[in-house]
Amino acid sequence: MFTLFYGLYKYLVQKDDYCVLIVGLDNAGKTTYLESAKTKFTKNYKGMNPKQITTTVGLNIGKITVSGIQLNFWDLGGQEELQSLWDKYYAESHAIIYIVDSNDRDRIPESKETFDKMISNENLSGIPLLVLANKQDIPESMGVREVKPIFNKNAHLIGRRDCMVMPVSALTGEGIDEGINWLVDCIKRNSDVRPPRNQQETS
């Protein structure tokens, strides 16, 4: 009887569970973004000092609860030799956050090439995409008006999916809320196509 009630309780309180990939070139600010998101959406969470954040080798994981669902973030290392591992996570993901260092103009072509290769993977077909022009706290950085046309050049690769380009500063937290809230709405809308992980496990 206890097992039955516990199962019912767990069913009633468990939140829909979704996975969001955070990708982009190394030094784009992916881990700083994840820390900022956790600080914004997790009560009493004290984020890491940005000065102590180092280049990700492998994977950082973070969780937040927002609008009644749980988002599991997988922050993947962006070095060229690690990008070949990204596709191992695509089939399980429900959304993609692609972070662009909008202050590093020299690497924009490399970032665009990496983006095109990622977004053309069939395992990501149809899932929501949020492109963030990061480091907007730096006065010389490229704005969304400059970044958006570059990443929209191969619109056929993006296809028919929810897609947004937004300005953000992972360092100051500016734009974090708007991006996450937009993504949550898209993930919920897309849940018929790619249901939450806990529903997949019980079906």
Side-chain angles (χ1 to χ4, degrees):
M1 185 63 78
F2 169 78
T3 307
L4 179 65
F5 281 118
Y6 177 72
L8 180 62
Y9 169 79
K10 193 174 176 185
Y11 173 77
L12 291 173
V13 300
Q14 86 173 354
K15 294 177 172 58
D16 285 342
D17 192 32
Y18 297 93
C19 296
V20 179
L21 288 189
I22 303 175
V23 291
L25 298 186
D26 53 299
N27 202 41
K30 299 183 297 297
T31 304
T32 306
Y33 173 83
L34 176 56
E35 283 298 307
S36 192
K38 289 193 290 185
T39 302
K40 285 256 184 188
F41 287 93
T42 307
K43 195 176 179 182
N44 299 326
Y45 179 77
K46 300 259 189 295
M48 288 172 60
N49 184 329
K51 292 179 181 176
Q52 296 177 328
I53 294 174
T54 56
T55 301
T56 299
V57 180
L59 171 69
N60 288 317
I61 295 175
K63 292 182 181 181
I64 65 169
T65 299
V66 55
S67 299
I69 67 173
Q70 181 169 285
L71 297 181
N72 298 280
F73 293 101
W74 297 337
D75 160 31
L76 305 181
Q79 299 93 318
E80 190 175 351
E81 63 271 18
L82 296 177
Q83 291 172 20
S84 60
L85 302 174
W86 290 2
D87 60 6
K88 307 279 190 295
Y89 299 89
Y90 291 166
E92 293 181 65
S93 63
H94 296 86
I96 294 280
I97 297 175
Y98 190 86
I99 298 190
V100 180
D101 182 347
S102 55
N103 188 52
D104 192 349
R105 294 171 186 269
D106 292 342
R107 295 189 76 191
I108 288 292
E110 182 188 350
S111 183
K112 173 65 167 56
E113 187 180 330
T114 302
F115 172 83
D116 286 351
K117 184 178 177 185
M118 172 208 70
I119 208 64
S120 60
N121 189 291
E122 61 182 16
N123 286 321
L124 294 179
S125 178
I127 75 167
L129 167 67
L130 177 61
V131 178
L132 295 176
N134 190 26
K135 305 191 182 179
Q136 293 298 306
D137 50 291
I138 302 173
E140 300 80 21
S141 66
M142 302 165 67
V144 165
R145 284 186 180 181
E146 205 173 345
V147 171
K148 189 174 182 178
I150 296 169
F151 285 83
N152 268 351
K153 275 180 183 172
N154 288 336
H156 65 281
L157 296 178
I158 295 171
R160 297 181 65 183
R161 72 175 78 222
D162 287 314
C163 179
M164 179 70 76
V165 182
M166 286 187 177
V168 75
S169 169
L171 198 60
T172 67
E174 186 181 351
I176 301 284
D177 306 60
E178 293 89 341
I180 299 268
N181 289 326
W182 177 85
L183 209 58
V184 165
D185 289 341
C186 296
I187 287 171
K188 286 180 174 179
R189 237 185 349 257
N190 201 46
S191 61
D192 288 345
V193 178
R194 200 164 284 201
R197 285 201 308 177
N198 46 317
Q199 288 186 18
Q200 292 171 359
E201 289 163 4
T202 55
S203 59

Short mmCIF file of all heavy atoms in Angstrom, two decimals, residues 170-191:
data_model
loop_
_atom_site.label_atom_id
_atom_site.label_comp_id
_atom_site.label_asym_id
_atom_site.label_seq_id
_atom_site.Cartn_x
_atom_site.Cartn_y
_atom_site.Cartn_z
N ALA A 170 26.25 37.25 -19.91
CA ALA A 170 26.34 36.20 -18.89
C ALA A 170 26.98 36.74 -17.62
O ALA A 170 26.67 36.28 -16.52
CB ALA A 170 27.15 35.01 -19.43
N LEU A 171 27.84 37.75 -17.78
CA LEU A 171 28.56 38.30 -16.63
C LEU A 171 27.64 39.10 -15.72
O LEU A 171 27.68 38.95 -14.49
CB LEU A 171 29.71 39.18 -17.14
CG LEU A 171 30.83 39.50 -16.15
CD1 LEU A 171 31.51 38.22 -15.65
CD2 LEU A 171 31.84 40.43 -16.78
N THR A 172 26.78 39.94 -16.31
CA THR A 172 25.90 40.79 -15.50
C THR A 172 24.53 40.16 -15.27
O THR A 172 23.78 40.59 -14.41
CB THR A 172 25.69 42.16 -16.17
OG1 THR A 172 24.95 41.97 -17.40
CG2 THR A 172 27.02 42.82 -16.49
N GLY A 173 24.19 39.13 -16.08
CA GLY A 173 22.88 38.50 -15.97
C GLY A 173 21.82 39.14 -16.84
O GLY A 173 20.67 38.67 -16.89
N GLU A 174 22.18 40.20 -17.54
CA GLU A 174 21.20 40.90 -18.39
C GLU A 174 20.75 39.99 -19.54
O GLU A 174 21.56 39.39 -20.24
CB GLU A 174 21.84 42.16 -18.97
CG GLU A 174 20.87 43.02 -19.75
CD GLU A 174 21.55 44.26 -20.33
OE1 GLU A 174 22.72 44.53 -19.99
OE2 GLU A 174 20.90 44.93 -21.15
N GLY A 175 19.43 39.86 -19.70
CA GLY A 175 18.87 39.05 -20.79
C GLY A 175 18.70 37.58 -20.48
O GLY A 175 18.11 36.84 -21.28
N ILE A 176 19.16 37.13 -19.32
CA ILE A 176 19.07 35.70 -18.96
C ILE A 176 17.60 35.28 -18.83
O ILE A 176 17.17 34.29 -19.42
CB ILE A 176 19.81 35.40 -17.64
CG1 ILE A 176 21.29 35.77 -17.73
CG2 ILE A 176 19.62 33.94 -17.24
CD1 ILE A 176 22.15 34.83 -18.49
N ASP A 177 16.83 36.04 -18.06
CA ASP A 177 15.43 35.68 -17.80
C ASP A 177 14.62 35.57 -19.08
O ASP A 177 13.89 34.60 -19.30
CB ASP A 177 14.74 36.73 -16.90
CG ASP A 177 15.48 36.99 -15.62
OD1 ASP A 177 16.64 37.43 -15.68
OD2 ASP A 177 14.89 36.79 -14.55
N GLU A 178 14.77 36.58 -19.94
CA GLU A 178 13.98 36.62 -21.18
C GLU A 178 14.26 35.39 -22.05
O GLU A 178 13.34 34.78 -22.59
CB GLU A 178 14.30 37.89 -21.96
CG GLU A 178 13.85 39.18 -21.29
CD GLU A 178 14.90 39.77 -20.35
OE1 GLU A 178 15.82 39.03 -19.93
OE2 GLU A 178 14.78 40.95 -20.02
N GLY A 179 15.53 35.03 -22.17
CA GLY A 179 15.89 33.88 -23.00
C GLY A 179 15.36 32.58 -22.45
O GLY A 179 14.79 31.77 -23.19
N ILE A 180 15.50 32.37 -21.15
CA ILE A 180 15.03 31.12 -20.52
C ILE A 180 13.51 31.01 -20.61
O ILE A 180 12.96 29.95 -20.94
CB ILE A 180 15.47 31.05 -19.04
CG1 ILE A 180 17.00 31.06 -18.93
CG2 ILE A 180 14.86 29.83 -18.35
CD1 ILE A 180 17.72 29.77 -18.91
N ASN A 181 12.82 32.11 -20.34
CA ASN A 181 11.35 32.08 -20.39
C ASN A 181 10.85 31.81 -21.81
O ASN A 181 9.87 31.06 -22.00
CB ASN A 181 10.77 33.39 -19.85
CG ASN A 181 10.93 33.52 -18.35
OD1 ASN A 181 10.87 32.53 -17.63
ND2 ASN A 181 11.15 34.74 -17.86
N TRP A 182 11.50 32.40 -22.81
CA TRP A 182 11.14 32.13 -24.20
C TRP A 182 11.36 30.65 -24.51
O TRP A 182 10.50 30.00 -25.12
CB TRP A 182 11.99 32.99 -25.14
CG TRP A 182 11.72 32.72 -26.59
CD1 TRP A 182 10.73 33.27 -27.36
CD2 TRP A 182 12.42 31.80 -27.45
NE1 TRP A 182 10.78 32.76 -28.64
CE2 TRP A 182 11.81 31.86 -28.72
CE3 TRP A 182 13.51 30.95 -27.26
CZ2 TRP A 182 12.24 31.08 -29.80
CZ3 TRP A 182 13.94 30.18 -28.33
CH2 TRP A 182 13.32 30.24 -29.59
N LEU A 183 12.48 30.11 -24.05
CA LEU A 183 12.81 28.71 -24.33
C LEU A 183 11.81 27.76 -23.68
O LEU A 183 11.40 26.77 -24.28
CB LEU A 183 14.23 28.42 -23.81
CG LEU A 183 15.03 27.33 -24.54
CD1 LEU A 183 15.19 27.65 -26.01
CD2 LEU A 183 16.39 27.14 -23.88
N VAL A 184 11.41 28.08 -22.46
CA VAL A 184 10.44 27.23 -21.74
C VAL A 184 9.12 27.15 -22.52
O VAL A 184 8.55 26.07 -22.69
CB VAL A 184 10.20 27.77 -20.30
CG1 VAL A 184 8.95 27.14 -19.68
CG2 VAL A 184 11.42 27.47 -19.43
N ASP A 185 8.65 28.29 -22.99
CA ASP A 185 7.40 28.30 -23.79
C ASP A 185 7.54 27.41 -25.03
O ASP A 185 6.62 26.65 -25.37
CB ASP A 185 7.05 29.73 -24.23
CG ASP A 185 6.58 30.60 -23.07
OD1 ASP A 185 6.19 30.03 -22.03
OD2 ASP A 185 6.61 31.84 -23.20
N CYS A 186 8.69 27.50 -25.68
CA CYS A 186 8.92 26.72 -26.91
C CYS A 186 9.00 25.22 -26.60
O CYS A 186 8.45 24.39 -27.34
CB CYS A 186 10.21 27.16 -27.60
SG CYS A 186 10.15 28.86 -28.19
N ILE A 187 9.69 24.88 -25.52
CA ILE A 187 9.85 23.47 -25.13
C ILE A 187 8.49 22.85 -24.81
O ILE A 187 8.19 21.73 -25.22
CB ILE A 187 10.80 23.36 -23.91
CG1 ILE A 187 12.25 23.63 -24.35
CG2 ILE A 187 10.71 21.98 -23.26
CD1 ILE A 187 13.23 23.76 -23.18
N LYS A 188 7.67 23.60 -24.10
CA LYS A 188 6.33 23.10 -23.76
C LYS A 188 5.50 22.89 -25.03
O LYS A 188 4.79 21.89 -25.16
CB LYS A 188 5.61 24.09 -22.83
CG LYS A 188 6.13 24.07 -21.39
CD LYS A 188 5.34 25.09 -20.56
CE LYS A 188 5.71 25.02 -19.10
NZ LYS A 188 4.97 26.00 -18.29
N ARG A 189 5.60 23.85 -25.95
CA ARG A 189 4.86 23.75 -27.21
C ARG A 189 5.31 22.55 -28.03
O ARG A 189 4.54 21.97 -28.78
CB ARG A 189 5.08 25.03 -28.02
CG ARG A 189 3.82 25.74 -28.38
CD ARG A 189 3.94 26.93 -29.27
NE ARG A 189 5.23 27.48 -29.54
CZ ARG A 189 5.71 28.58 -28.99
NH1 ARG A 189 5.02 29.23 -28.08
NH2 ARG A 189 6.89 29.06 -29.34
N ASN A 190 6.57 22.21 -27.91
CA ASN A 190 7.17 21.15 -28.73
C ASN A 190 7.13 19.79 -28.04
O ASN A 190 7.67 18.81 -28.55
CB ASN A 190 8.64 21.52 -29.04
CG ASN A 190 9.19 20.80 -30.25
OD1 ASN A 190 8.54 20.72 -31.29
ND2 ASN A 190 10.39 20.25 -30.12
N SER A 191 6.47 19.71 -26.89
CA SER A 191 6.53 18.47 -26.08
C SER A 191 5.80 17.29 -26.72
O SER A 191 6.04 16.14 -26.36
CB SER A 191 6.01 18.72 -24.66
OG SER A 191 4.66 19.13 -24.70
#
